[in-house]
Amino acid sequence: MQTINLPMLYWWLTSRAKYLGVWGLLGLILTIASLLFYQIKVRPLAPLIQQAQASQQLAKPQTGAQMSQQVAPTENTAQQLASFYTRFPNALQLPEALALMHSLAKQKRLALNSGDYKLTQLKQNKIANAHALTKYEIVLPVTGQYPQIRSYLADVLYQLPALALTDLQLQRESTLEANLEAKLVFVLFVKGESWQGESW
């Protein structure tokens, strides 16, 4: 086994250091440090860099030929719009909706006074002109405690998805009074074409 001659190695390193000088020695140290940094820190990141580059390639805008190779969507905009409008009730279902609203009010023990009803045709844009909606405004004055009114609103809006609460006014005669007088303003969206031939 060959041994290292330490005095000879020390002499050689000292002579090389003198030959390189201060700046040369500093450059050599920086070069060695850079190689060590690359081996320890940068090289293990190579697989992650490759994955990031592959992800960027997938995220690039596709050409017309590439897009034509993809499967066409199952529904176009017109079909999605038609499917959306099927969720609204028609004119024949309006009495059922009103009966449900009154029934829920009775379940919550709310005193339901006579309401006001107003029918308004909504303006349609060019895309939705084939699916006109009618806005049926319902104004219900009710009397009851705040928790009852709040529970009623939650139930009626849940059971009638086409119904929207547009205004709510609460009034109490005195701070000692438990009951509130509330004015509930709803809008029920109904299929506009279903009103043709119907008299209300």
Side-chain angles (χ1 to χ4, degrees):
M1 181 176 180
Q2 187 176 3
T3 59
I4 299 175
N5 191 342
L6 293 179
M8 185 68 179
L9 179 62
Y10 176 76
W11 173 84
W12 185 83
L13 291 175
T14 305
S15 62
R16 292 297 97 189
K18 290 179 181 179
Y19 176 76
L20 291 173
V22 176
W23 294 108
L25 189 60
L26 182 61
L28 179 62
I29 293 172
L30 290 175
T31 302
I32 295 173
S34 299
L35 291 174
L36 290 174
F37 179 80
Y38 174 79
Q39 290 292 334
I40 297 173
K41 296 292 185 181
V42 178
R43 192 171 183 179
L45 298 177
L48 297 177
I49 295 173
Q50 292 178 354
Q51 290 179 358
Q53 291 174 345
S55 300
Q56 287 180 349
Q57 291 292 334
L58 293 176
K60 284 184 178 180
Q62 298 179 343
T63 62
Q66 290 173 332
M67 293 178 65
S68 63
Q69 294 176 357
Q70 293 182 347
V71 179
T74 55
E75 290 186 351
N76 56 27
T77 304
Q79 290 173 331
Q80 291 176 352
L81 189 61
S83 176
F84 170 73
Y85 278 101
T86 59
R87 302 175 184 178
F88 292 94
N90 55 38
L92 297 177
Q93 295 171 311
L94 182 58
E96 297 177 9
L98 295 176
L100 178 61
M101 294 178 70
H102 285 263
S103 174
L104 289 174
K106 288 182 180 179
Q107 290 179 15
K108 302 300 178 182
R109 297 181 181 178
L110 292 174
L112 188 61
N113 303 320
S114 59
D116 296 327
Y117 306 93
K118 181 181 177 182
L119 188 66
T120 306
Q121 186 75 24
L122 293 180
K123 293 181 179 180
Q124 301 296 317
N125 55 33
K126 293 181 180 179
I127 298 176
N129 58 1
H131 306 282
L133 285 178
T134 299
K135 184 172 71 171
Y136 196 73
E137 188 177 75
I138 306 165
V139 181
L140 294 180
V142 298
T143 304
Q145 295 183 8
Y146 176 76
Q148 295 172 312
I149 297 173
R150 183 174 177 177
S151 178
Y152 170 71
L153 290 175
D155 287 352
V156 75
L157 293 174
Y158 176 77
Q159 296 196 34
L160 294 173
L163 187 70
L165 179 67
T166 59
D167 192 17
L168 171 62
Q169 298 176 15
L170 300 175
Q171 185 178 359
R172 192 196 307 261
E173 292 184 1
S174 68
T175 56
L176 300 177
E177 182 68 30
N179 288 337
L180 295 170
E181 293 181 2
K183 181 181 178 182
L184 310 178
V185 182
F186 296 98
V187 168
L188 181 64
F189 294 96
V190 184
K191 294 177 185 176
E193 67 274 10
S194 64
W195 293 95
Q196 298 177 0
E198 300 291 341
S199 59
W200 297 88

